Amino acid sequence: MEIEILGNKDTRSGFGEGLAELGRTNANVVALCADLTGSLKMDAFLKENPERFFQIGIAEANMMCIAAGMTIGGKIPFTGTFANFSTGRVYDQIRQSIAYSQKNVKICASHAGLTLGEDGATHQTLEDIGMMRMLPNMTVIVPADFNQTKQATIAIADHQGPVYLRFGRPVMPIFIKPDALFVIGKADIIKEGHDVTIIACGHLVWKSIEAIKVLEERGISVELINMHTIKPLDEAAILRSVAKTKCVVTAEEHMINGGLGEAVSQVLARKMPVPQEFVGVNDTFGESGTPMELMTKYGIDTEDIINAALKALARKG
Amino acid sequence: MENTKLVGIASQVRRDILRMVHAVSSGHPGGSLGCADFLTFLYFEKLRFDSNNFTMDGKNEDLFFLSNGHISPVWYSVLARSGYFQVAELATFRKISSRLQGHPSTDKKLPGIRMASGSLGQGLSVGIGAAITKKLNHDNHLVFTLHGDGELQEGQIWEAAMYAAANKVDNLIATIDYNGRQIDGDLDQVLALGNLSAKWEAFGWEVLEMDGHNFDAIRSVMENAISLTGKGKPIVIIMKTEMGQGVDFMMGTHKWHGSAPNDQQLESALSQLSESIGDY
């Protein structure tokens, strides 16, 4: 498989570059931050547009509802804080003032999942995708690399309605071209194959690419789907692929409960039941460690994807 | 507007409130009755709006947000009586498929409402956001919010209070319905607020006090509040009211916070309130 590595960067920097570009191109975009400007890479936007940047302080509930209020009059607010404080901490504010009220707020969430690393479980949200995809009116996006995070950040400004955009901290390979087309709700087919389908999001797309190298050496043909939009889910892409491969692995840096895998299984159970294996965190909190140590210990590493693919293939019979 | 006219409208609004909650045996009459005079004054004398051409953005209009969404009956009545929608629609309150949800919502597109409320403590932040956008848009109209006193027990109110003062959100006038009662009883028994004026002052707000049942007082304090906008400080009005105001057996108790009158109680209540501009 020929996947070219274009560089190495963190996805949060993709958000920062996308936001800075929006600052130059869309006068209605405003940014709010709860004391994490540097961590969210919002500095460039702040420097170029100080009058459109709002430092809220450590008060995330206030931030979400100020953002909701700012939409009245036509502004497009982007909120920035860690994923944990962008979701669980402010779920009721998002539910009532953003999702139910259908406000055009873009909730931009960094340091998602285990790969936040050493800060430990208090900050490692693994439930956010589930919480956000349960909210009516909410679009949920988990881009795969730096370039795609930048593209997604720019794309959501033109999408009318609430969006949850999830990205992370670790430096990872860039493999999506800078000029690639990003369409909300339309999955990327990274690679075509016929034995097993892997559907992944976020950092697990790269881990899946690593897994595929090993699987192909064993003569297994893998189709890889980058499901960057968890909601609305690209059902057609799933069904088209699974009709061919007849088995599927889902891979995500999130709880198995409530995540991408569950969303996919809901589609398959209704329309095309096939064996499915789930790579994700299995109903446990994380802990301190390096990002890569954590991915290994909690079962979301390359080896786990390989094993899941072999299991799915075996179950297909 | 002449006080006698305002008194007449407020009496009609109180009749609407009682008939709405009675019809579905649910809803919150107590706080609704207590805020009838204030909201009548606001919509019939002070607020600048175009009820025939409601827009979500509300550019070049004053904006009002009801943070204590459970007193929706008084807001719905005042909105209908102000021309936002037909008064006949008040009869659908809390019924299936109605635009008049138990707590205010935007998803059924009822004109006049720009934000859902009900889960308490969020409306001051929302008002701040709307006020900031007014400034960004060079729109010199004002943002008004209304809050319950019990609602001040929510921590988010104080996050918002701190933010508005620190950032000079001075095109915002918040009003507190200070009736001293909440669902479980007297506010002082449930969780006392302490010295409320001193708290807001310490947070950096301009603090005014107002009798919420005297139109001369409401007019004078509201005009003062408006004159204080644009001077670098957000403004809060601590409005003394009586829960259940206008119906003798509903006053002096917290019991009518969230319960509706039966047939006999409704008859007794309506006999105390004149039908000034016609029931829906």
Side-chain angles (χ1 to χ4, degrees):
Chain A
M1 184 176 59
E2 294 298 319
I3 302 274
E4 192 188 349
I5 296 182
L6 307 170
N8 291 282
K9 274 190 182 174
D10 46 357
T11 50
R12 60 178 167 156
S13 289
F15 165 69
E17 283 200 11
L19 186 67
E21 187 163 324
L22 285 171
R24 294 169 206 129
T25 57
N26 190 331
N28 283 324
V29 168
V30 296
L32 296 81
C33 187
D35 195 30
L36 286 169
T37 311
S39 297
L40 270 283
K41 305 291 181 188
M42 297 169 93
D43 321 66
F45 182 95
L46 165 60
K47 194 174 169 203
E48 295 175 23
N49 313 277
E51 75 293 347
R52 284 193 277 149
F53 179 86
F54 298 87
Q55 172 59 267
I56 305 295
I58 309 168
E60 294 83 5
N62 191 37
M63 176 167 74
M64 290 301 166
C65 292
I66 287 179
M70 288 181 86
T71 64
I72 297 167
K75 298 303 166 201
I76 308 170
F78 282 62
T79 66
T81 183
F82 290 169
N84 194 30
F85 313 136
S86 294
T87 56
R89 187 174 181 89
V90 291
Y91 199 63
D92 186 51
Q93 283 76 15
I94 294 173
R95 182 178 181 274
Q96 175 169 285
S97 293
I98 297 176
Y100 185 43
S101 293
Q102 293 164 287
K103 295 303 177 209
N104 196 23
V105 176
K106 315 304 170 186
I107 301 163
C108 303
S110 185
H111 293 55
L114 290 172
T115 54
L116 165 137
E118 293 81 354
D119 278 346
T122 53
H123 288 51
Q124 291 163 342
T125 182
L126 294 163
E127 314 89 47
D128 55 324
I129 294 174
M131 283 190 280
M132 301 310 276
R133 62 180 274 263
M134 276 199 292
L135 288 172
N137 301 328
M138 186 65 70
T139 293
V140 180
I141 299 175
V142 186
D145 74 352
F146 167 87
N147 280 340
Q148 188 160 65
T149 306
K150 180 176 174 180
Q151 292 153 9
T153 302
I154 293 165
I156 61 176
D158 289 329
H159 170 88
Q160 179 66 37
V163 174
Y164 179 63
L165 180 69
R166 180 200 216 229
F167 43 90
R169 178 169 183 249
V171 171
M172 299 284 286
I174 303 172
F175 54 92
I176 291 172
K177 294 196 165 48
D179 58 350
L181 182 66
F182 177 86
V183 181
I184 295 169
K186 191 164 184 339
D188 300 337
I189 312 300
I190 303 278
K191 181 193 165 298
E192 294 190 6
H194 50 76
D195 292 329
V196 57
T197 300
I198 299 177
I199 302 173
C201 65
H203 297 135
L204 271 284
V205 178
W206 176 253
K207 290 287 175 187
S208 298
I209 290 169
E210 289 185 332
I212 289 170
K213 288 175 194 158
V214 177
L215 290 163
E216 292 202 325
E217 280 167 15
R218 300 191 194 180
I220 297 164
S221 166
V222 183
E223 181 144 307
L224 174 59
I225 299 176
N226 167 20
M227 193 60 78
H228 52 68
T229 307
I230 314 290
K231 185 185 175 186
L233 193 65
D234 189 348
E235 293 196 12
I238 298 169
L239 295 171
R240 229 174 7 245
S241 179
V242 170
K244 190 168 53 172
T245 63
K246 305 284 193 299
C247 69
V248 64
V249 171
T250 52
E252 60 197 303
E253 188 182 346
H254 187 269
M255 292 290 179
I256 293 170
N257 289 332
L260 167 67
E262 253 190 30
V264 170
S265 69
Q266 201 182 102
V267 174
L268 295 175
R270 278 188 283 111
K271 298 192 173 163
M272 199 179 287
V274 296
Q276 178 178 353
E277 292 296 323
F278 297 79
V279 174
V281 177
N282 190 13
D283 200 23
T284 180
F285 288 106
E287 63 178 297
S288 294
T290 67
M292 296 312 140
E293 285 170 344
L294 288 161
M295 291 181 96
T296 306
K297 180 165 180 178
Y298 288 88
I300 56 170
D301 208 344
T302 310
E303 197 63 27
D304 302 291
I305 299 169
I306 295 167
N307 290 336
L310 295 173
K311 206 166 164 187
L313 275 165
R315 285 176 61 201
K316 185 164 70 160
Chain B
M1 188 176 277
E2 289 169 24
N3 284 359
T4 50
K5 278 193 178 169
L6 290 168
V7 167
I9 297 166
S11 177
Q12 188 65 55
V13 166
R14 289 191 164 94
R15 290 181 68 90
D16 290 348
I17 293 165
L18 292 159
R19 295 178 66 237
M20 287 162 75
V21 299
H22 167 263
V24 286
S25 300
S26 77
H28 297 77
S32 295
L33 292 166
C35 289
D37 298 321
F38 172 67
L39 282 180
T40 296
F41 176 85
L42 196 62
Y43 274 81
F44 283 85
E45 183 161 318
K46 212 32 91 182
L47 216 57
R48 297 164 291 181
F49 60 86
D50 180 359
S51 56
N52 293 317
N53 297 291
F54 173 73
T55 63
M56 183 54 75
D57 280 339
K59 287 181 178 170
N60 302 310
E61 294 186 30
D62 292 330
L63 303 179
F64 171 76
F65 296 100
L66 182 71
S67 191
N68 48 336
H70 56 275
I71 67 164
S72 58
V74 63
W75 197 20
Y76 293 150
S77 169
V78 169
L79 286 174
R81 300 282 172 188
S82 301
Y84 276 99
F85 53 89
Q86 298 289 319
V87 292
E89 196 169 347
L90 295 175
T92 69
F93 173 64
R94 284 187 173 233
K95 291 181 178 167
I96 191 77
S97 303
S98 172
R99 297 197 294 177
L100 280 64
Q101 290 291 292
H103 293 79
S105 76
T106 59
D107 70 327
K108 300 212 184 322
K109 315 291 181 206
L110 187 68
I113 296 177
R114 294 187 171 86
M115 185 66 69
S117 60
S119 178
L120 295 171
Q122 301 185 23
L124 189 56
S125 309
V126 167
I128 290 167
I132 292 171
T133 287
K134 287 242 176 262
K135 289 192 176 205
L136 289 171
N137 288 344
H138 307 292
D139 176 350
N140 61 7
H141 288 71
L142 299 175
V143 176
F144 296 83
T145 59
L146 179 60
H147 310 266
D149 49 4
E151 185 185 7
L152 304 186
Q153 292 159 354
E154 293 280 6
Q156 187 182 342
I157 289 286
W158 303 101
E159 293 182 7
M162 197 184 303
Y163 182 90
N167 291 280
K168 301 183 169 50
V169 183
D170 57 6
N171 52 344
L172 172 69
I173 300 174
T175 299
I176 311 299
D177 176 21
Y178 198 20
N179 61 26
R181 303 184 202 283
Q182 57 190 113
I183 298 179
D184 273 358
D186 286 352
L187 195 130
D188 283 343
Q189 300 298 317
V190 178
L191 179 58
L193 295 177
N195 188 334
L196 195 53
S197 299
K199 279 194 167 75
W200 285 100
E201 275 165 22
F203 272 78
W205 286 56
E206 195 73 62
V207 184
L208 303 175
E209 298 191 8
M210 180 169 93
D211 174 352
H213 299 310
N214 176 324
F215 284 111
D216 283 333
I218 296 173
R219 182 176 296 108
S220 145
V221 173
M222 290 303 291
E223 284 175 0
N224 187 21
I226 289 166
S227 76
L228 289 167
T229 59
K231 298 190 191 305
K233 286 171 94 172
I235 296 138
V236 62
I237 300 169
I238 298 175
M239 174 174 74
K240 191 78 198 75
T241 66
E242 179 67 44
M243 188 181 270
Q245 175 75 17
V247 178
D248 55 10
F249 63 89
M250 290 186 171
M251 294 160 66
T253 171
H254 65 276
K255 286 197 310 192
W256 295 93
H257 167 90
S259 39
N262 63 26
D263 293 350
Q264 286 171 331
Q265 289 162 336
L266 177 71
E267 194 182 313
S268 163
L270 291 180
S271 74
Q272 302 171 41
L273 298 162
S274 69
E275 187 184 344
S276 56
I277 41 179
D279 286 340
Y280 62 82

